[in-house]
Amino acid sequence: MKFNDYWKIPTNAKQYFSPKYEKKLKEKYGVWYTFHTFLSILIPFIPLVIFFVISPSNAFNPSTQIDNIIGGIGGIIGVIGSFSIGVGLVNVFMCFIKQYLGHWVTILTIVGGILLDILALFVFSFVS
């Protein structure tokens, strides 16, 4: 693969999600594959935990019904943003077993997730 090819989604990316390719990776990487799979499941939750830590405490303990609705909207936006950041981080992690989906996927998911988390924190600022 040439350097410029890493910006695009690979043409064989569809096979990354097939059971046949999964079996091939298990045979090739052995115990490392099991550890890698565990970390790939764990990594998307790290930005989610960080989002909950930096969120204001009053967003999860609303005093009125309207605050409850605003907090819920902010929470949903924040969870989607945090999960998006996690998907981008997993994409970077997947380059170790040559399943990288390209720079555009990484940039769009991480930057988009950060923007959604900022929007969620902004929405939380309206909760009294």
Side-chain angles (χ1 to χ4, degrees):
M1 218 178 204
K2 294 187 305 187
F3 175 75
N4 291 336
D5 290 343
Y6 287 111
W7 283 96
K8 302 179 272 183
I9 295 176
T11 54
N12 64 342
K14 188 187 267 187
Q15 79 176 5
Y16 293 167
F17 305 100
S18 72
K20 184 179 179 182
Y21 197 76
E22 183 95 7
K23 184 177 178 184
K24 182 178 158 184
L25 288 173
K26 284 180 186 177
E27 291 171 358
K28 185 175 180 180
Y29 294 105
V31 175
W32 169 247
Y33 178 77
T34 305
F35 180 69
H36 192 273
T37 303
F38 173 73
L39 285 178
S40 296
I41 293 169
L42 182 68
I43 287 173
F45 292 103
I46 295 170
L48 186 65
V49 169
I50 292 171
F51 173 73
F52 284 130
V53 167
I54 65 173
S55 296
S57 61
N58 64 337
F60 303 109
N61 191 13
S63 57
T64 64
Q65 183 68 28
I66 194 72
D67 286 347
N68 196 8
I69 292 170
I70 293 172
I73 291 170
I76 290 169
I77 294 170
V79 167
I80 292 170
S82 297
F83 189 73
S84 177
I85 294 169
V87 168
L89 294 175
V90 168
N91 188 37
V92 171
F93 187 63
M94 291 305 239
C95 71
F96 292 116
I97 60 171
K98 297 175 180 65
Q99 285 190 321
Y100 185 62
L101 293 177
H103 297 334
W104 284 118
V105 171
T106 303
I107 291 169
L108 290 175
T109 55
I110 291 177
V111 170
I114 289 170
L115 291 175
L116 285 173
D117 279 351
I118 290 170
L119 177 64
L121 293 173
F122 176 72
V123 169
F124 282 157
S125 70
F126 294 105
V127 176
S128 54

